[in-house]
Amino acid sequence: MVGRHLRITGRVQGVGYRYWFLGRAESLGLTGWVRNRADGSVEAVVQGPEDKAVRIIAEAESGPPAARVGRVETTELPTDTTLIQFEQRPTC
């Protein structure tokens, strides 16, 4: 199991990006969270099998049809056993 922190920039707020990401993460069986940031980016933490983490990172680079992703920054994280499902978190 691997953990990844993602910061997605571009036109990713107000276009359904968070809901799209949540649905994709759940369908892949990942745990973690996603939220909007006050600077206009979207932030997410994902964890699960490496192949599924790699897949959602690749999909995050496109996003839903209305999004225009500029960049996806990814860093490794230790896994967190308290994350048992995928959730949305409030904007920070």
Side-chain angles (χ1 to χ4, degrees), residues 26-83:
E26 287 178 332
S27 72
L28 291 169
L30 296 167
T31 59
W33 52 264
V34 62
R35 67 181 171 191
N36 285 340
R37 294 191 48 90
D39 66 4
S41 66
V42 170
E43 177 181 31
V45 166
V46 297
Q47 60 183 33
E50 186 169 6
D51 63 323
K52 297 197 179 193
V54 167
R55 184 170 173 185
I56 198 160
I57 291 166
E59 291 181 13
E61 293 174 354
S62 298
R68 297 294 175 261
V69 177
R71 184 173 181 179
V72 178
E73 298 173 21
T74 307
T75 55
E76 292 185 29
L77 288 178
T79 56
D80 178 352
T81 58
T82 64
L83 296 174

